Amino acid sequence: MTARDRTRAPETPGSTRGPDRVPETPGAASGQDRTPETPGEASGQAPAPQGRPGTPMLDVRDLRVTYRNGERAVPAVRGVSFTLDRGQTLGVAGESGSGKSTMALSLLRLLAPSAEVSGEVLFEGEDLLTARWARLRAVRWSAASVVFQGAMSALNPVRTIGEQICEPILLHEKVGQREARRRAAELLDSVGVPSRRAGSYPHEFSGGQRQRIMIAMSLACRPDLIIADEPTTALDVMVQAQVLELLGELVRESGIGVIMISHDLSVLSHMCERLAVMYAGRIAEIGPSRQLIAEPRHPYTRALGRAFPTIGDPASRLAPAGLPGDPPTPSELARLSEGRGCAFEPRCSEAVAACRTETVELWPSGPRREAACLRVLEGSGT
Amino acid sequence: MKPVLEVRDLMVTYPPRRGAAPARAVDGVNLQVRQGEIVALVGESGCGKSTLARALVGLVKPTGGQVLGGGEPLGYSAAALKAYRRHTQLVLQDPGGALNPRQNVFDAVAEGPRLHGLTDRLGERVHAALARAGLRPPEEFAGRFPHEMSGGQQQRVVIAGALALEPSVIVADEPVASLDASVRGEILKLILELRDSLGLSALVVSHDLGLAWNIADRVAVMYLGRIVETGTVEEVLLRPKHPYTRALLSVLPDSDERPVLLTGEPPDPAAVPGGCRFHPRCPLRAAEQDTLCDSRDLPVLTGDPSGSSLAACHLVH
């Protein structure tokens, strides 16, 4: 998959939109009235080396993660590659156990020691998987940050949110307490939490507000990349819409790259310009969101898309669409990794004999998109 | 036709927490579920939908109004509740939490029949329930423990446990919220199949409007303890009247409407605003500056499902 070379001039947001650009949420400020932080400015402050022109900001190559527990080995991520540029948004969809969260957290080496990670995670040309801890700690927060799911458990319950937002700023930048507090207040205001509440504790906020605070924290050191792991999963529809709009607005304004993980394909397809659908630790299909939703080439993408009905669509009225069977269990995953064949074959309604024996990998399935399905090679389904 | 399940002017008020006012979780609700009908009760967290579901199966005693099963008012003696629950079964959200980890599938499903003394040919009854819930062949699943099954299979066990008593109505509180997307559709299909094959009625509580579109005949939208709009799924979801319903539909990712983001404080059942309870967040009132909304209370919507859709709003008619 080629990196999308959209070098966007931050002064003119909205001017260089590709044809696959996610429709802008109506009502969202497009940023003209604020001073956007240019990506150049942001990386100038971050201690990450300046990326060479032509190299993507993030280049993930053959990423593999295996959880080891004594004799047992569970391959959670089984060879994932993708690239992401500044200002690009990539949605990663998949069901529980598909490896999507493991994949995302492994990028910044946030997994427990029982996880063995291999492959390359090139961030501005530097491999984070082999980087020294001190270097990695410098990258975390300031160059790339994470919005975790479940803000209640990710925030420290006994420290005020103001202190928690100041912490990465004080750690990573040569600023004093006062300046850090001023920045924290600014951040809180920017995410719609009144800055006078900086002295409050996490439990004094609602779920949606806590998630906004998490987003404020992730922005504290003006990173180039945000990894958002199910940022709205526990929230109500209305609150979810508010948080997503906030996130979308911030991304449009500042040209931050975003990797957003979710099980909800419809949310991702509206937030992200590109979409990767994961199944059993691999990418099953990747490409521009709109195309993946409108014309899925992988049967799993198709099934996942149908699982979220569009209200008003007569095809789904009194006809819920599911997918028989269950995703592979950890032990089945281990077996899959040894043999050939498509991991989705047992649940696939279009499977043929070859699906059990051939090695399946991502093949080009259209302009700037790929699918890991044998039928793509046949050229059928177009 | 008598509804299999009905509530009339139902109120559930939780006693005040220190210093606070009592929480009016359910604050006057009329609702009917007829034979073979699937009704979706939708709303955001804190709107009282789960409390209403619990009141429907007699787990919460109402502070006002009535619950009627098969036209009979529900009594709250232990014996009356037990008899009632043979006909009205509850299916909970998280099957992992609903199942006893040390109990195998057979015992989990047999628990209800055993409590009700239905031990005659218990094996047959349990196997039939498992098969109906889609766990086939039942013999293969009967000996398993919850941890040996996927989330979807666990939810099927919970549903089988409800079916083992051959109830006439199921109250399901977020039956698919904790399940994966692909499994969600399978469980919803099962609920539809049970309605078609057994004539089972269901009240499904959910925050998910897509679920209502997928399986329900009628839908009731709840806000802060009251039903604010009710009607057939097509009426309410395709031609919504109430500004709250319209806002909920507008923020769905697939919506063509301009999203209406509600602002203001999240609703608090301990401080229900006077007048229309939605007025502090209502985009329509803000536009029309109507003072009626702030001052005049709205009548409780009738639960009668035969007419066209109803909306509790001063401004739309």
Side-chain angles (χ1 to χ4, degrees):
Chain A
M1 65 228 80
T2 50
R4 190 169 144 74
D5 46 357
R6 190 165 63 85
T7 38
R8 196 172 112 201
E11 289 79 18
T12 54
S15 64
T16 52
R17 300 255 152 95
D20 61 310
R21 175 79 199 174
V22 180
E24 190 174 330
T25 326
S30 49
Q32 274 94 340
D33 53 337
R34 306 192 194 188
T35 326
E37 280 160 25
T38 67
E41 180 188 300
S43 66
Q45 291 185 351
Q50 196 65 48
R52 288 183 303 276
T55 50
M57 173 176 68
L58 181 70
D59 187 356
V60 176
R61 296 181 186 171
D62 196 32
L63 183 67
R64 289 165 192 274
V65 184
T66 303
Y67 289 105
R68 277 199 197 280
N69 183 2
E71 287 295 286
R72 242 181 80 169
V74 177
V77 178
R78 307 186 297 130
V80 164
S81 307
F82 64 88
T83 59
L84 186 81
D85 263 332
R86 282 166 196 289
Q88 278 196 335
T89 46
L90 173 72
V92 182
E95 298 177 89
S96 38
S98 64
K100 59 187 191 305
S101 285
T102 297
M103 186 277 286
L105 297 181
S106 67
L107 299 179
L108 292 182
R109 279 159 63 186
L110 289 165
L111 296 171
S114 65
E116 274 173 18
V117 186
S118 70
E120 284 174 282
V121 177
L122 301 172
F123 185 73
E124 308 284 13
E126 178 185 17
D127 190 353
L128 295 183
L129 294 186
T130 53
R132 290 175 39 197
W133 273 107
R135 177 70 201 126
L136 191 67
R137 270 170 48 200
V139 169
R140 288 180 186 172
W141 289 114
S142 60
S145 62
V146 185
V147 177
F148 292 99
Q149 63 176 309
M152 194 60 213
S153 42
L155 292 169
N156 185 342
V158 297
R159 299 189 60 206
T160 68
I161 57 150
E163 285 169 357
Q164 294 188 57
I165 297 175
C166 286
E167 189 178 311
I169 302 175
L170 290 169
L171 262 171
H172 287 281
E173 292 177 33
K174 291 190 184 83
V175 295
Q177 275 284 351
R178 241 177 102 167
E179 169 65 9
R181 268 203 297 273
R182 192 193 59 77
R183 285 256 300 272
E186 222 176 75
L187 284 161
L188 282 173
D189 281 328
S190 74
V191 297
V193 175
S195 53
R196 62 185 151 81
R197 299 200 60 193
S200 303
Y201 291 89
H203 75 266
E204 297 174 83
F205 294 91
S206 69
Q209 284 175 316
R210 283 199 289 262
Q211 204 54 268
R212 285 161 186 267
I213 293 163
M214 276 302 297
I215 292 173
M217 251 173 111
S218 73
L219 293 168
C221 298
R222 298 169 182 150
D224 298 324
L225 172 68
I226 289 185
I227 299 167
D229 185 13
E230 304 262 12
T232 60
T233 296
L235 305 176
D236 267 323
V237 269
M238 194 55 70
V239 186
Q240 163 171 305
Q242 291 164 353
V243 171
L244 289 179
E245 180 171 307
L246 167 71
L247 211 55
E249 198 178 309
L250 293 169
V251 170
R252 276 193 297 274
E253 276 178 18
S254 51
I256 299 172
V258 175
I259 297 176
M260 185 163 149
I261 321 294
S262 177
H263 66 282
D264 191 334
L265 207 57
S266 52
V267 163
L268 287 181
S269 65
H270 284 77
M271 275 294 295
C272 305
E273 49 193 355
R274 279 200 310 156
L275 204 57
V277 176
M278 281 186 74
Y279 189 81
R282 286 199 179 148
I283 293 177
E285 188 164 9
I286 185 166
S289 300
R290 275 193 181 178
Q291 288 181 30
L292 245 65
I293 299 296
E295 297 163 54
R297 296 295 306 273
H298 196 288
Y300 180 64
T301 313
R302 206 169 301 144
L304 208 55
R306 276 202 293 250
F308 299 96
T310 303
I311 288 170
D313 173 16
S316 56
R317 177 72 184 120
L318 293 179
L323 185 62
D326 289 295
T329 61
S331 55
E332 283 165 350
L333 269 179
R335 239 176 301 143
L336 269 174
S337 297
E338 290 158 15
R340 298 173 150 223
C342 170
F344 186 60
E345 183 270 333
R347 301 174 79 188
C348 183
S349 58
E350 297 164 36
V352 292
C355 297
R356 266 191 300 261
T357 50
E358 296 295 314
T359 306
V360 177
E361 53 191 85
L362 278 169
W363 290 295
S365 59
R368 302 194 302 118
R369 56 186 292 197
E370 294 176 304
C373 179
L374 282 171
R375 302 189 57 118
V376 169
L377 289 185
E378 294 167 15
S380 67
T382 33
Chain B
M1 190 168 58
K2 250 192 271 174
V4 286
L5 190 62
E6 184 181 3
V7 294
R8 287 187 195 154
D9 296 320
L10 194 79
M11 311 268 283
V12 181
T13 305
Y14 291 115
R17 274 188 295 192
R18 233 170 4 137
R24 286 142 66 186
V26 179
D27 196 25
V29 165
N30 290 310
L31 187 66
Q32 293 184 8
V33 180
R34 292 174 295 181
Q35 167 73 41
E37 190 179 43
I38 299 177
V39 177
L41 179 67
V42 299
E44 294 174 278
S45 36
C47 75
K49 58 188 194 297
S50 289
T51 299
L52 179 56
R54 269 157 228 284
L56 279 170
V57 289
L59 282 173
V60 172
K61 197 173 171 183
T63 41
Q66 272 185 329
V67 176
L68 297 98
E72 299 293 313
L74 171 59
Y76 288 87
S77 69
L81 280 174
K82 189 171 157 185
Y84 176 71
R85 288 187 189 135
R86 256 204 81 175
H87 303 285
T88 309
Q89 279 285 310
L90 180 68
V91 172
L92 287 170
Q93 174 173 167
D94 170 25
L99 293 171
N100 179 343
R102 301 184 58 177
Q103 205 174 36
N104 70 21
V105 167
F106 186 94
D107 288 326
V109 177
E111 192 168 331
R114 278 179 181 146
L115 278 171
H116 285 270
L118 304 168
T119 45
D120 232 28
R121 298 200 287 188
L122 182 66
E124 243 171 73
R125 184 182 276 271
V126 170
H127 285 173
L130 285 173
R132 274 198 200 116
L135 295 169
R136 298 188 196 99
E139 301 76 27
E140 196 181 295
F141 288 93
R144 292 205 200 167
F145 286 87
H147 72 267
E148 298 171 300
M149 291 183 293
S150 68
Q153 289 170 336
Q154 289 178 0
Q155 190 60 297
R156 286 174 191 272
V157 173
V158 173
I159 292 173
L163 293 177
L165 287 168
E166 296 168 10
S168 51
V169 55
I170 279 184
V171 175
D173 189 0
E174 299 275 14
V176 294
S178 64
L179 303 178
D180 265 324
S182 68
V183 183
R184 169 192 183 277
E186 295 295 305
I187 296 291
L188 294 182
K189 254 190 228 168
L190 171 64
I191 296 175
L192 268 183
E193 276 165 24
L194 291 171
R195 185 264 292 275
D196 293 342
S197 60
L198 305 175
L200 196 69
S201 315
L203 180 94
V204 184
V205 176
S206 180
H207 68 284
D208 178 2
L209 294 164
L211 177 149
W213 181 257
N214 266 165
I215 66 165
D217 303 303
R218 284 195 300 124
V219 60
V221 181
M222 200 164 173
Y223 182 82
L224 205 47
R226 283 252 177 110
I227 287 169
V228 294
E229 184 160 6
T230 169
T232 66
V233 165
E234 282 82 1
E235 280 174 326
V236 175
L237 298 188
L238 299 184
R239 297 177 291 281
K241 292 178 182 164
H242 199 284
Y244 179 63
T245 317
R246 297 220 298 257
L248 279 184
L249 283 162
S250 76
V251 297
L252 296 182
D254 292 324
S255 166
D256 302 326
E257 305 276 312
R258 187 193 150 92
V260 180
L261 289 181
L262 298 178
T263 49
E265 291 297 298
D268 176 5
V272 177
C276 167
R277 59 195 57 215
F278 184 57
H279 86 256
R281 302 176 78 196
C282 181
L284 207 60
R285 169 195 167 264
E288 307 213 353
Q289 292 291 331
D290 203 312
T291 49
L292 206 63
C293 302
D294 312 20
S295 52
R296 189 182 296 176
D297 284 354
L298 285 153
V300 175
L301 296 183
T302 67
D304 182 11
S306 44
S308 64
S309 75
L310 299 168
C313 175
H314 287 300
L315 301 177
V316 292
H317 280 296

